[in-house]
Amino acid sequence: MGTLYLFRIKFVRGDNLALETENLTPEQIFRRAIEEKPTLELKSNSVWVIGNIIYYDEQKRIGTFNVGKKRMGSVPKYNENSKNFENEIEENSPNSKIYFNLEYGILGLTNKYELISDEFALAGKIQELIENTNAVKNAFKYVEITRIKNPETFISRLRGAYRIKRFGVHFSGTNPFDADENFHKTMSAYLDATAGNKGVTVVEGNSLNSETCAIMTASVAATGNDAFAMLQDSSDEKFVTISLHKNAAKISIPVEIQDDDKKIIDFLMNYYYRIRRNEV
C-alpha cells in the first residue's frame, strides 16, 4: 500500500426520519452503519462485506475498516497423493483498508486490482454497502461518496490567466462537513427549499477576480464538488474552458509510516487541510 485516494462522504437527510435516528448526527449514523457490517450480494456469486473496524480515538471519529468481497473460485493445486494438478473450490476474499475521519467526512481509499478495477468503482461499492444499512435507510435521502480534487493545477491556471470570463462551481445538499460556511450553507439551504439534490452557480464578467475564484476553488475541491472556468491564458489566445473534475487528489504514503495506521490518517488529514487552505 503506497497510494491513498481521497474521497468525501456526504449524507443528505430525507423528510421522513425514523424516530430512533432523528436526533443522531451523520457522524453517528456513519458509525452505526459500518458497525452493522453490511453485506451486498451480487449476481456474480460474490458478496461485498465490511469488517475489521478499528477506532483510534475515544470519540470514535478516526479509524479504519476493511471492505472486500467473498467469492468461491477454482484454485489449481498439486496433489501429493495422486501426483497430479487438480482444481479445488475454495473461498477467496480480497479486501482493502479504508481510512476515515468522521469529523470532516474524509475517506482514504486503498485499492487492489484483484478486488476491483479502480478506486472510483471501490467508492461506489462502499456507498452501496452503507446505503444498505438500517442506520441509513430511514435517516437520509441518499449517501454520496465523491472524490476530493487536487486544485493545484486548476488554481495555477486561474492565477496565471490573462482574463477569466466565466467561473462556475457545483454544490450539493445539506451536509455538516462542508468547508465553506458562507457559500455552501446558503446554497444547500436553497437546494433543500427546492427539493433539489445538486446545483451550479455561475458568474460572468469581462475580467473576474482570479484570487476570489482561486479561494472558492479550494473550498469546492475540499467538499468533493467541481468547478470550471472560461479563460484566456494570454491576450492573443482564444478562450478555453477548464474543469477541476479531472484532478483527483491522491497521496503517496511514506515508507516509514506505512505500518502505522494512526500516522497514516494524520498524514492524510494534513494533506486535506492543505487543500482547504489552498497550499497544495
Side-chain angles (χ1 to χ4, degrees):
M1 187 276 294
T3 303
L4 272 183
Y5 300 90
L6 276 67
F7 283 77
R8 204 148 189 261
I9 184 167
K10 304 177 184 181
F11 296 86
V12 179
R13 287 191 178 277
D15 297 325
N16 300 317
L17 300 181
L19 292 177
E20 64 270 18
T21 62
E22 192 170 23
N23 296 317
L24 297 180
T25 65
E27 182 180 313
Q28 292 169 317
I29 295 292
F30 181 93
R31 274 196 297 271
R32 285 194 176 189
I34 62 174
E35 287 172 1
E36 285 184 33
K37 296 187 176 179
T39 62
L40 181 67
E41 189 166 353
L42 304 180
K43 294 180 181 179
S44 57
N45 294 323
S46 61
V47 179
W48 281 81
V49 295
I50 283 178
N52 299 66
I53 303 165
I54 301 175
Y55 298 106
Y56 294 103
D57 65 327
E58 292 183 1
Q59 294 77 27
K60 294 185 176 182
R61 284 182 166 178
I62 61 173
T64 62
F65 63 86
N66 283 41
V67 61
K69 61 182 176 182
K70 302 185 299 178
R71 60 189 178 193
M72 302 302 294
S74 177
V75 179
K77 291 186 177 182
Y78 183 73
N79 189 315
E80 289 289 349
N81 295 324
S82 65
K83 303 299 182 183
N84 290 319
F85 291 97
E86 300 174 354
N87 288 328
E88 293 185 8
I89 303 297
E90 64 179 40
E91 183 179 290
N92 183 26
S93 301
N95 62 93
S96 289
K97 183 173 288 187
I98 310 300
Y99 300 81
F100 62 82
N101 179 306
L102 300 187
E103 183 177 5
Y104 294 97
I106 305 302
L107 301 178
L109 275 58
T110 63
N111 186 37
K112 297 175 181 177
Y113 184 74
E114 63 268 26
L115 176 61
I116 201 166
S117 58
D118 56 47
E119 66 276 10
F120 306 115
L122 179 60
K125 292 302 179 189
I126 296 171
Q127 179 174 314
E128 288 185 76
L129 281 163
I130 292 176
E131 286 179 332
N132 198 39
T133 62
N134 293 325
V136 168
K137 284 179 180 178
N138 297 320
F140 296 92
K141 284 188 289 189
Y142 64 89
V143 177
E144 187 177 71
I145 298 179
T146 55
R147 58 184 176 182
I148 292 174
K149 283 80 173 179
N150 182 341
E152 181 178 10
T153 303
F154 187 90
I155 287 175
S156 179
R157 289 286 297 275
L158 291 177
R159 287 175 170 161
Y162 171 72
R163 185 160 53 131
I164 303 172
K165 185 177 182 179
R166 180 182 298 125
F167 178 74
V169 295
H170 293 252
F171 56 91
S172 51
T174 303
N175 180 30
F177 302 139
D178 280 333
D180 185 274
E181 291 288 327
N182 295 325
F183 175 77
H184 288 102
K185 293 294 184 183
T186 301
M187 299 313 296
S188 292
Y190 173 65
L191 270 184
D192 286 347
T194 57
N197 292 335
K198 297 180 181 180
V200 182
T201 296
V202 179
V203 293
E204 295 185 3
N206 184 53
S207 183
L208 300 178
N209 185 297
S210 62
E211 191 58 32
T212 300
C213 293
I215 292 171
M216 183 55 68
T217 297
S219 173
V220 167
T223 64
N225 288 309
D226 195 14
F228 57 91
M230 178 181 286
L231 54 77
Q232 276 181 300
D233 289 309
S234 62
S235 59
D236 58 351
E237 293 187 51
K238 294 182 178 180
F239 279 95
V240 295
T241 299
I242 61 173
S243 176
L244 179 63
H245 81 274
K246 297 180 180 178
N247 304 326
K250 61 181 181 180
I251 53 175
S252 296
I253 304 302
V255 175
E256 60 269 22
I257 68 169
Q258 287 190 8
D259 294 326
D260 191 324
D261 289 340
K262 177 62 169 61
K263 288 184 179 180
I264 290 175
I265 296 172
D266 290 341
F267 188 81
L268 167 69
M269 292 308 299
N270 284 336
Y271 183 77
Y272 171 73
Y273 295 141
R274 288 175 59 206
I275 291 177
R276 288 187 64 180
R277 295 192 299 263
N278 190 19
E279 295 177 355
V280 293

